[in-house]
Structures are given as C-alpha cells and as structure tokens.
Amino acid sequence: MNNGIITTLLQNKLINKDDISQIKDLMISNSISCVEAIAFIKYDLSEEHIMNSLSLFSGIPLFDIRTYCLERLPTTNLSSTFILAYKVLPIELYKNQLTLAVVYPLSKELCTQISFITGYSISLVLANEKHLMPILNLQSNSLKINENHNTNDVDFISDGNKIFTEDWSINSESDDKPVAKFVHRIIYDAVKLGASDIHFEPYEKNYRIRYRIDGVLTEASTPSLELKDKIITRIKVVAKIDIAEKRVPQDGRLRLQLESNQTIDFRVSTLPTVFGEKAVLRILNRNAATLNIGELGLDDNQQQILLDAIKRPYGMILVTGPTGSGKTVTLYSILNLLNESSRNISTIEDPIEIPISGINQVAVNEKTNLDFSTALRAFLRQDPDVIMVGEIRDFETASMAVKAAQTGHLVLSTLHTNDAAASLTRLLNLGVPIYNIGDAILLIVAERLVRKLCRLCKQRGEYSVHELINAGFTELEISGGFMPYIATGCEYCNYSGYKGRVGIFEVMPIDDEIKVLILNHANSATIKDIASKNGVNSLRRSGLDKVKHGITSLTEIEAHINC
C-alpha cells in the first residue's frame, strides 16, 4: 500500500477508511498499482486527479516519465535492489543535485540516506507508478549486469599488495561498510572528473567535501556532520596513518588501482582543526601528466629556446612560479626528453609525483635526515649527467646546485618567485655569490596555469576599446574588430565555461647582456625591461596571446597573471 497517496486522499476526503481494504484487495488480486486501484474504485477520480492531489499536498512537482529520453539517465551508485525496493529512478544530475523520479514522497530520512550513498543533494519529482515501473525494471536489469561484471573494479593497494578490496554495490550488513563505500566513491569520482585535490572539511554545523578541478574548488558533497569521524578514520586506515593520533598533523600515501590497470597515487595530509580533523588528498595521477613539451603551452619561439638550453652539456635551468603553477610537470617533461640510455639522470623530490623508468629518483625523508642538500652531495659522487633538485630552499642547496652546474652537469630546479627576473634576486638573497649566478644559469622559465575555455560553448564577449587597451592589447591588435572569447557554460564543461588548463610562460635565456646586468647589480625590474626589449614575452604578454587565439579568457589572465 502506498501510504503517501492513501494519506493524501484521506486528508482531502477523496476516499474514506472503508475504501482502503478494497483498494488493497484490488491491488493484490489484479497486480496493479495503488493509483490504478483507487481510480477503479472511485469512478470520479482519474489517475491524473489522484497524482495532482498528491503533488499539491506534498509540494513535489509532477513529471511525465513517458516523455523522457532514457539515454540521458545519469549513472549513480544506487544498486538495482535499492531502486526497486524504494521505487526511485535517477533522471537528472546537474552540478551537485540529483533529481529522482518517485512514486510517492520519500521520508526525510530516506532522502538523507540516498544523499549519503550518492554524494549529491536530492530533489524529487512525482511519476505515475504505472509508467515508472517498466523503466525501473529495465534499469534494474541493466544495473544487475554491470554489478555482476564490475564487483571488483577498484582496489586500494599498498607496497604492491592489496590491503582491501571493495565492490560498489550499496547493500551491506556492516554499519561501517557504507562509509567505506562512500569514501571510495568520492575518491573514484574525483579521479574521473580530473580533480587535483580532495578536501574533507568539518565545520561547526556541517561537513563539506570539495574537489579542486582546473585550479578551482567546487563542492562535491555535504554528508551528515555525524559521519566526520568515520570518514576521517577510513581515510587514515587506507593511508596507513595512526588513527588514534588526532592532535598533530599527519602525512600518508595511498594507491588506487582502477579496473583499466591505471594506478593513481595520493598524498594524504590530515590537520586538526577546532571542529575536527581535516584531510586533503593530493591526486598524483602519473597518466594525467602529458610529459610532452609540445603540449605544455609554450609558443614556437619559447619551445625552441628551451630545447636549445637542454641540449647544453652543463648549466642550470630554473622553473619558477607559485605552488600549483605546473612547475613539476614542466620539469618532468624536460626529463622525459632527456631520458636516454647514454645519460645518468638523478632526481631528489618531495615527494616523487611521477615515477619514470630509467631515472634514479630519490624522495626526501626527514626521518633519516635525507634532504635536498644531502642527496645533491651524494649525486655528485654518482657520476651524473643530469640532476634535478625538486626545490631550492636554502643557501646550502642553492650553492651546491650552482657549483654542480659549473662543473659539467645539467641541473634542473624550481624556485618560488613571481617572474623570471625575480629568480636572480632570490638567489642573491639566499647568499649565492653574484659572479656565480650569471655564469651558471642558462635559462629561467616562469610559469602559470590558466583554465582553457570550453571549445563547445565559448562565445565572443563584449569589451570596449578602452578595456582592451588597458588589458594590454595594442591598437593594432584590436583595429580589425578583435574581440576575446568569454566563458558561458554547458553540460560538457559542467557549466563552468572551462575545460582543462594550459601553461602561460615567460622564457628568459641568460645571454651576455643579462650577465653584465647581473654583475652590475641591476635590479629585477631593469633586467625584465632589457629582456623584454630583446624579445622575451612577459607572462602577461604570453597570456594575452592565448586570449587572442581563443584558448583562454581575459578574465582568467586578469585573475592569475599580474606581471
């Protein structure tokens, strides 16, 4: 018996209590829906009348499922058993909201349960049971086939051995198993969406999970606050972190094995906050990194300058920019190009983000006092040709890297500075002698990442000539009616207007003129001006070129590049 419909009709005095037993008997004897049975007994009530009454009473809109294109049904992790038991059909997924077609209003508790299982907020529409059930049966059969063939499509493994295996069906006899499945689904979805980080964040009155996609944080789920301890415990278990220690930050790692033999590593960081432990998972997807210099975003001239520099037998190449600007992928792309059997390549990293066969990669280990300078000192006794130092942070590392570059080694490293010229000042501040800087450095590459416009929905914007001139475009560039593209949004790009990211570069070779400026203690502004006159595009100029070619928007350049 459908209590939602019966209760509604009773309260509206459209049926009485004596009718209920007749409705029940008719449903059982003829195997028909509650709405059909009521309409048969009450001649003055049509099925449409009954459904309209239920919609008005519950405040849930009606939906004619017969008009819906079944090919658009979204994929969720609701099992076949679940959708049949509760007669719910997911029909639309927009951003973080999942719409369900239901036969009768669901309880608040059941909606919360579905939200927890799927990771989405829930909205409802009412559908006639007679029309909905055939579709539910078809969908259930399809899900059963998938569940039988994909019960072990995702594993978490540690040190080459599986530490547990989970299927993705929803049914579970264990109270904690749904939490484990929920965490796994959040991680799995993040990988599929191309996220770089997952944030699990407890607050005073709510719990929030966010993905960083293309550099922007977006809300993925808002599970019940009561689950915060179980969620963080599950993350700690798979990351081999002490679950009893909640007072200090902890770090760990885990590895995800997908069904397609794709392995993805995660760096896990926990942090005690006033409302509980926060966890951030950095996704180290070795398959996502292109490792192809031609796809980084360098223009033809910049790429040629970089290729010429890495052909040199010794010297230093620095890649600069803030955290998350793509420096690591740029360095790995260079290493991938240099990786030949005739070269001995060693790297010291914190951590090793992309393992590359043929390269000796060493990870920083604070517990054993293995830091950048210690590893670099050991490398010099290992007959290296190419050395990569993950980051120059102190005088000892900087000094040894510069000396290595002067004594027959090609050294690659990173610095945290805003532009190429500022890197020279940074090395001086670290204590590197001025006469060594110009002599050792071959090239400095400054980098930023900006979002690429969605190729399916980008449109020409409307800017005044004054706005374009102020942005940095020349009168010649805008004289032909040029107008930058803007982001709009569509289903393909999840209505953000952007899909993927691309690098913006400033590539500054240290030529003789720049070396003289360095020896004469010229400041970074002077060096930048001379480099610009010699044809070095600034980050902003390179960004404007990307705007001209319709790759990104002026809004992205304004947001990420101010130099």
Side-chain angles (χ1 to χ4, degrees):
M1 291 291 289
N2 192 317
N3 291 327
I5 294 174
I6 296 295
T7 301
T8 299
L9 296 181
L10 281 173
Q11 292 181 349
N12 284 274
K13 299 181 179 180
L14 295 175
I15 62 173
N16 56 51
K17 292 183 179 179
D18 296 333
D19 296 326
I20 296 178
S21 59
Q22 295 183 50
I23 295 169
K24 181 178 180 180
D25 292 340
L26 192 61
M27 289 173 62
I28 295 172
S29 60
N30 292 278
S31 298
I32 59 177
S33 70
C34 183
V35 172
E36 290 176 293
I38 295 169
F40 184 85
I41 292 174
K42 293 293 183 178
Y43 305 102
D44 56 336
L45 288 179
S46 65
E47 292 183 23
E48 289 77 13
H49 191 176
I50 295 169
M51 293 303 296
N52 279 326
S53 298
L54 182 60
S55 176
L56 288 171
F57 182 79
S58 64
I60 301 173
L62 284 175
F63 181 75
D64 189 351
I65 194 69
R66 294 172 296 181
T67 65
Y68 190 78
C69 176
L70 299 184
E71 293 180 357
R72 294 178 55 198
L73 291 176
T75 301
T76 68
N77 54 342
L78 293 177
S79 69
S80 57
T81 306
F82 191 97
I83 67 169
L84 280 179
Y86 294 103
K87 297 178 181 178
V88 298
L89 179 68
I91 61 170
E92 184 180 45
L93 180 58
Y94 177 72
K95 293 188 177 180
N96 192 43
Q97 186 173 77
L98 180 65
T99 300
L100 304 175
V102 296
V103 172
Y104 58 92
L106 304 183
S107 67
K108 182 179 179 181
E109 291 76 14
L110 184 55
C111 285
T112 301
Q113 182 183 352
I114 296 173
S115 178
F116 172 67
I117 291 171
T118 62
Y120 303 113
S121 60
I122 302 299
S123 65
L124 304 177
V125 293
L126 289 174
N128 192 320
E129 184 176 4
K130 178 174 66 175
H131 304 144
L132 184 62
M133 285 310 297
I135 300 173
L136 280 176
N137 287 325
L138 286 173
Q139 185 72 356
S140 174
N141 289 334
S142 176
L143 286 173
K144 284 179 181 176
I145 293 173
N146 291 333
E147 289 165 3
N148 290 335
H149 285 82
N150 295 297
T151 55
N152 291 315
D153 61 348
V154 177
D155 297 327
F156 284 94
I157 55 180
S158 177
D159 298 326
N161 299 313
K162 296 179 182 179
I163 56 175
F164 60 82
T165 301
E166 298 283 353
D167 62 62
W168 294 105
S169 60
I170 298 304
N171 301 319
S172 173
E173 297 177 359
S174 168
D175 289 337
D176 288 337
K177 200 169 184 181
V179 174
K181 292 180 181 296
F182 174 73
V183 173
H184 298 181
R185 175 56 60 179
I186 288 292
I187 295 173
Y188 183 81
D189 287 347
V191 173
K192 291 300 183 183
L193 289 170
S196 61
D197 301 87
I198 312 171
H199 293 242
F200 296 83
E201 303 169 318
Y203 297 98
E204 183 178 10
K205 296 181 180 180
N206 67 298
Y207 193 85
R208 179 173 67 176
I209 299 172
R210 294 189 290 173
Y211 295 154
R212 187 177 293 279
I213 301 175
D214 293 336
V216 178
L217 280 170
T218 57
E219 191 171 287
S221 180
T222 54
S224 170
L225 186 60
E226 297 173 355
L227 297 170
K228 67 177 183 179
D229 291 333
K230 289 186 176 181
I231 289 174
I232 194 69
T233 298
R234 184 58 181 174
I235 293 171
K236 284 183 168 184
V237 166
V238 297
K240 300 291 187 179
I241 293 175
D242 184 359
I243 62 173
E245 181 57 75
K246 301 180 180 180
R247 300 165 298 176
V248 297
Q250 296 188 79
D251 295 315
R253 294 176 72 92
L254 60 90
R255 177 170 291 176
L256 178 68
Q257 180 74 52
L258 298 185
E259 70 279 5
S260 58
N261 294 323
Q262 179 185 5
T263 301
I264 298 171
D265 294 312
F266 296 79
R267 187 171 71 234
V268 182
S269 173
T270 66
L271 178 71
T273 72
V274 66
F275 298 115
E277 284 186 284
K278 175 184 176 180
V280 175
L281 275 62
R282 166 62 59 90
I283 302 174
L284 310 174
N285 188 352
R286 66 186 73 176
N287 296 316
T290 170
L291 302 188
N292 186 339
I293 285 181
E295 297 179 22
L296 294 176
L298 295 155
D299 64 35
D300 292 342
N301 183 53
Q302 291 173 335
Q303 183 172 320
Q304 190 57 53
I305 293 172
L306 178 57
L307 292 175
D308 289 342
I310 64 178
K311 290 177 182 176
R312 303 279 289 274
Y314 59 89
M316 179 182 286
I317 297 174
L318 291 173
V319 182
T320 77
T323 300
S325 60
K327 300 187 298 296
T328 300
V329 172
T330 299
L331 286 176
Y332 276 127
S333 299
I334 296 172
L335 289 176
N336 196 49
L337 197 62
L338 293 170
N339 190 12
E340 298 176 352
S341 59
S342 60
R343 289 191 179 97
N344 176 19
I345 304 176
S346 297
T347 73
I348 174 67
E349 307 170 55
D350 185 18
I352 298 171
E353 297 196 11
I354 305 175
I356 301 177
S357 177
I359 294 179
N360 308 295
Q361 295 174 273
V362 178
V364 167
N365 188 338
E366 295 180 358
K367 294 179 180 179
T368 60
N369 294 319
L370 178 59
D371 54 17
F372 288 112
S373 59
T374 303
L376 184 52
R377 190 179 295 108
F379 287 168
L380 296 177
R381 297 191 291 268
Q382 292 276 319
D383 186 31
D385 296 298
V386 180
I387 297 171
M388 187 188 90
V389 181
E391 183 183 348
I392 293 177
R393 301 176 178 174
D394 51 49
F395 167 71
E396 187 175 5
T397 305
S399 178
M400 291 184 64
V402 167
K403 289 177 182 177
Q406 292 175 314
T407 55
H409 309 93
L410 183 63
V411 179
L412 312 175
S413 192
T414 69
L415 279 175
H416 287 282
T417 58
N418 288 329
D419 56 33
S423 300
L424 301 170
T425 305
R426 173 65 174 153
L427 289 174
L428 282 173
N429 291 339
L430 287 174
V432 179
I434 197 167
Y435 51 84
N436 282 339
I437 294 175
D439 185 45
I441 299 176
L442 300 173
L443 182 72
I444 303 176
V445 179
E447 182 175 359
R448 297 289 189 279
L449 283 177
V450 296
R451 291 182 293 173
K452 294 193 293 186
L453 285 164
C454 174
R455 57 184 175 82
L456 298 182
C457 64
K458 65 180 181 180
Q459 296 179 3
R460 294 286 184 182
E462 293 183 5
Y463 293 91
S464 67
V465 172
H466 178 70
E467 287 176 315
L468 295 178
I469 292 293
N470 282 345
F473 291 105
T474 65
E475 292 184 2
L476 180 62
E477 287 175 316
I478 63 178
S479 60
F482 161 74
M483 193 59 64
Y485 283 96
I486 60 171
T488 53
C490 65
E491 187 174 357
Y492 174 71
C493 61
N494 199 27
Y495 301 94
S496 68
Y498 298 94
K499 189 74 172 179
R501 289 193 290 178
V502 66
I504 305 293
F505 295 89
E506 176 188 9
V507 179
M508 187 177 79
I510 306 301
D511 56 24
D512 291 339
E513 190 172 1
I514 299 294
K515 289 180 181 179
V516 171
L517 291 173
I518 295 171
L519 290 172
N520 290 331
H521 298 272
N523 58 36
S524 59
T526 302
I527 294 173
K528 187 173 182 178
D529 288 341
I530 296 299
S532 178
K533 291 176 182 178
N534 291 341
V536 175
N537 281 343
S538 67
L539 282 167
R540 188 169 187 84
R541 182 65 256 176
S542 296
L544 293 178
D545 287 343
K546 292 287 192 299
V547 174
K548 282 174 58 180
H549 290 94
I551 297 172
T552 190
S553 68
L554 190 55
T555 303
E556 276 292 284
I557 300 303
E558 297 286 358
H560 296 283
I561 301 175
N562 56 6
C563 54

